[in-house]
Each structure stands twice: as C-alpha cells, then as structure tokens.
C-alpha cells in the first residue's frame, strides 16, 4: 500500500471514530439525566476504574495498556465534562 492509500484508510477510521465518540457522548448524556433524576453524582470513580480494567483486558495491541487507559481517560473526562455542562444548563433553565 502507498502512503496515500494508508492515509485514506486512516481518514475513514477517523470518520468512524468521530461518529462513535459522539454516540458515546449522547449515551453518557442519557446516563447524566438519569443520575440527575436519582440525585447521583456525575463522577463515579468505581465505574471509570471498571472501564479502564475492561479495556486493558480487551486490548489486542499494538497500543500498550497505558496508552489505552490514557485514551479512555480522555474520552471519559470529556463525557463527564459534557454531563456537568448539560446538568448545569438544565438547572439554570428551571430557575
């Protein structure tokens, strides 16, 4: 394969990742709404730890486990940030 062909495949994968990241964020927002209704905190360290452990266990490489955890930490952090923003804006609308 040429560099251009490989880059085209990477671009296609990036498009898929973008859709997946946004779908994951939508699901996290749904969980955020449920947590808010139940009075649960946005941050659930035990759940996050389980995610990281599961992802390390499923990791076939070539990325090492540390890289996988760092990537998922970022994804989870952004989901949590989005939940907080949406939760605060909903609270402001109710006032």
């Amino acid at each position: 394969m040429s560099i251009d062909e490989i880059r085209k495949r990477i671009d296609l994968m990036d498009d898929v990742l973008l859709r997946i990241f946004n779908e994951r964020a939508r699901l996290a927002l749904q969980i955020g709404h449920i947590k808010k209704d139940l009075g649960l905190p946005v941050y659930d360290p035990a759940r996050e730890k389980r995610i990281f452990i599961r992802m390390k266990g499923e990791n076939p490489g070539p990325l090492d486990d540390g890289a996988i955890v760092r990537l998922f930490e970022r994804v989870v952090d952004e989901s949590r940030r989005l939940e907080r923003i949406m939760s605060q804006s909903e609270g402001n609308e109710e006032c």
Side-chain angles (χ1 to χ4, degrees):
M1 261 199 221
S2 72
I3 288 175
D4 286 339
E5 291 170 327
I6 294 170
R7 286 182 176 157
K8 284 179 186 176
R9 289 187 67 189
I10 288 172
D11 289 345
L12 290 172
M13 293 301 302
D14 288 345
D15 293 343
V16 171
L17 285 170
L18 181 62
R19 285 191 298 275
I20 290 170
F21 287 150
N22 279 298
E23 178 59 21
R24 190 187 191 289
R26 279 188 281 280
L27 294 169
L29 283 173
Q30 289 178 14
I31 288 174
H33 290 295
I34 294 169
K35 285 180 177 179
K36 184 177 180 184
D37 290 344
L38 296 174
L40 299 173
V42 169
Y43 180 53
D44 183 350
R47 167 66 178 151
E48 291 182 16
K49 184 176 182 179
R50 288 191 305 272
I51 291 170
F52 305 144
I53 289 169
R54 188 172 71 83
M55 291 298 95
K56 288 191 298 187
E58 296 291 324
N59 181 25
L63 290 172
D64 65 32
D65 288 350
I68 293 300
V69 168
R70 286 188 300 276
L71 287 167
F72 275 90
E73 282 174 339
R74 197 72 216 131
V75 169
V76 170
D77 285 347
E78 288 302 320
S79 294
R80 190 179 336 111
R81 184 184 69 81
L82 184 59
E83 282 184 46
R84 282 193 179 113
I85 290 169
M86 296 303 286
S87 178
Q88 290 170 356
S89 68
E90 287 175 359
N92 292 338
E93 290 171 3
E94 294 175 4
C95 294

